[in-house]
């Protein structure tokens, strides 16, 4: 088996490298940056939403990995014209990483070490989930911001929201976004009435790179309405990337919740 693998999903690209599949990677997006020392030599074919299909076709991949949230449906349909195997992923909770590891092992498990590495990732994830489940976490309502102008957050049926729920941090607004589409990442206004119920605002490092100036901005516009909750910057890659980061993300989340004093 000599696959030619393209990944259009940053976190899955990192997973493929962790599984020992870097020698078979022939294409990635510009957002697939980890681990940089490995991926610098892999050709880029645009972004997750604007894939350069002509360039990708010239690279002749036998397998392309896509994601329901990250990639456009039209892109996936176009890929099916020239790619023998399009691998669709859609983890919506930290526990879904187990199925993701199995999925990759089922496709690429004939290559040396892939199944063993997948099993090791699953074991480490199980350990972190068990550590989190063994503790009692007081409920807190959080606003997790992923974008600014417009301000955007996450619905409760997203990977991020379900990650935060592991330590009983419930995201607001209390809405479900459905299996796909923009409703999974709703926009909101600064005068939304449910903001008064927020205990803490979490400003993610990606996809929008929030900084200290934005912490002050949020404090000003929420404080003007009498809100006195906390605001802090968080590592968006650890809280939203699935694959090999899942266990590290849960460990990081425990630290965040502990530092919060909850």
């Amino acid at each position: 088996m000599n696959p030619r693998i393209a990944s259009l999903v940053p976190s899955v690209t990192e997973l493929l490298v962790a599984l020992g599949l870097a020698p078979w990677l022939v294409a990635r997006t510009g957002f697939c940056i980890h681990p940089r020392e490995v991926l610098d030599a892999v050709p880029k074919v645009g972004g997750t939403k604007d894939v350069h299909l002509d360039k990708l076709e010239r690279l002749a991949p036998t397998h392309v990995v896509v994601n329901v949230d990250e990639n456009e449906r039209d892109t996936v349909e176009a890929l099916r014209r020239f790619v023998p195997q399009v691998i669709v992923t859609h983890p919506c909770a930290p526990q879904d990483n187990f199925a993701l590891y199995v999925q990759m092992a089922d496709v690429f498990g004939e290559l040396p070490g892939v199944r063993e590495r997948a099993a090791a990732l699953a074991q480490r994830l199980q350990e972190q989930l068990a550590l989190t489940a063994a503790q009692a976490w007081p409920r807190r309502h959080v606003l997790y911001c992923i974008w600014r102008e417009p301000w955007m957050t996450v619905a409760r049926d997203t990977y991020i929201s379900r990650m935060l729920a592991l330590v009983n941090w419930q995201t607001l607004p209390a809405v479900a976004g459905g299996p796909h589409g923009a409703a999974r990442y709703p926009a909101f206004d600064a005068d939304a009435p449910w903001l008064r119920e927020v205990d803490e605002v979490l400003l993610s490092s990606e996809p929008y790179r929030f900084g200290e100036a934005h912490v002050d901005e949020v404090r000003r516009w929420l404080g003007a309405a009498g809100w006195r909750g906390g605001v802090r910057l968080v590592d968006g890659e650890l809280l939203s990337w699935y694959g090999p980061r899942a266990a590290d993300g849960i460990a990081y989340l425990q630290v965040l919740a502990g530092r919060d004093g909850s």
Side-chain angles (χ1 to χ4, degrees):
M1 177 184 181
N2 293 298
R4 295 177 58 80
I5 308 168
S7 176
L8 307 182
V9 191
S11 48
V12 176
T13 304
E14 187 177 40
L15 173 60
L16 294 171
V17 174
L19 293 176
L21 294 166
W24 293 275
L25 275 174
V26 299
R28 62 180 174 99
T29 74
F31 299 106
C32 299
I33 58 174
H34 297 302
R36 189 176 299 277
E37 66 276 10
V38 174
L39 296 176
D40 276 349
V42 179
K44 291 182 283 189
V45 289
T48 55
K49 306 294 186 188
D50 55 345
V51 180
H52 299 164
L53 291 169
D54 290 346
K55 182 176 182 179
L56 182 55
E57 186 170 7
R58 288 195 296 272
L59 291 167
T62 58
H63 300 74
V64 177
V65 184
V66 298
N67 176 267
V68 170
D69 278 339
E70 298 272 2
N71 308 119
E72 303 289 344
R73 182 186 294 271
D74 289 347
T75 298
V76 176
E77 293 307 314
L79 291 171
R80 296 189 194 280
R81 291 189 293 100
F82 63 88
V83 179
Q85 189 164 354
V86 177
I87 305 165
V88 180
T89 64
H90 191 35
C92 292
Q95 295 85 348
D96 292 347
N97 282 284
F98 293 118
L100 180 65
Y101 302 153
V102 170
Q103 183 182 20
M104 295 301 118
D106 284 347
V107 176
F108 302 113
E110 297 305 311
L111 293 169
V114 171
R115 292 191 184 277
E116 292 79 5
R117 295 185 184 100
L121 288 173
Q123 177 63 33
R124 187 154 180 270
L125 175 59
Q126 184 59 56
E127 290 169 356
Q128 286 300 322
L129 286 169
L131 284 172
T132 308
Q135 300 187 54
W137 304 97
R139 177 187 292 265
R140 288 177 64 81
H141 290 112
V142 299
L143 170 62
Y144 188 98
C145 297
I146 62 168
W147 203 257
R148 177 178 176 273
E149 294 183 350
W151 286 87
M152 296 172 65
T153 183
V154 296
R156 285 199 171 171
D157 50 354
T158 57
Y159 185 95
I160 294 169
S161 185
R162 286 171 171 158
M163 169 71 88
L164 298 173
L166 292 176
V167 294
N168 210 12
W169 285 3
Q170 306 298 319
T171 56
L172 291 177
V175 298
H180 55 80
R184 293 173 58 75
Y185 303 96
F188 66 93
D189 296 322
D191 59 354
W194 52 263
L195 285 171
R196 293 191 293 270
E197 303 173 35
V198 172
D199 297 309
E200 183 165 26
V201 179
L202 306 175
L203 301 179
S204 178
S205 61
E206 63 116 50
Y208 189 95
R209 183 165 291 280
F210 286 102
E212 291 295 342
H214 302 112
V215 172
D216 294 336
E217 178 183 2
V218 171
R219 284 181 176 144
R220 283 195 303 272
W221 58 255
L222 283 178
W227 182 82
R228 293 294 179 266
V231 184
R232 65 173 136 170
L233 303 172
V234 296
D235 188 325
E237 290 181 353
L238 281 173
L239 295 176
S240 68
W241 283 37
Y242 31 88
R245 262 170 216 261
D248 289 338
I250 296 170
Y252 170 70
L253 181 58
Q254 292 179 57
V255 173
L256 286 180
R259 192 176 73 194
D260 180 56
S262 299

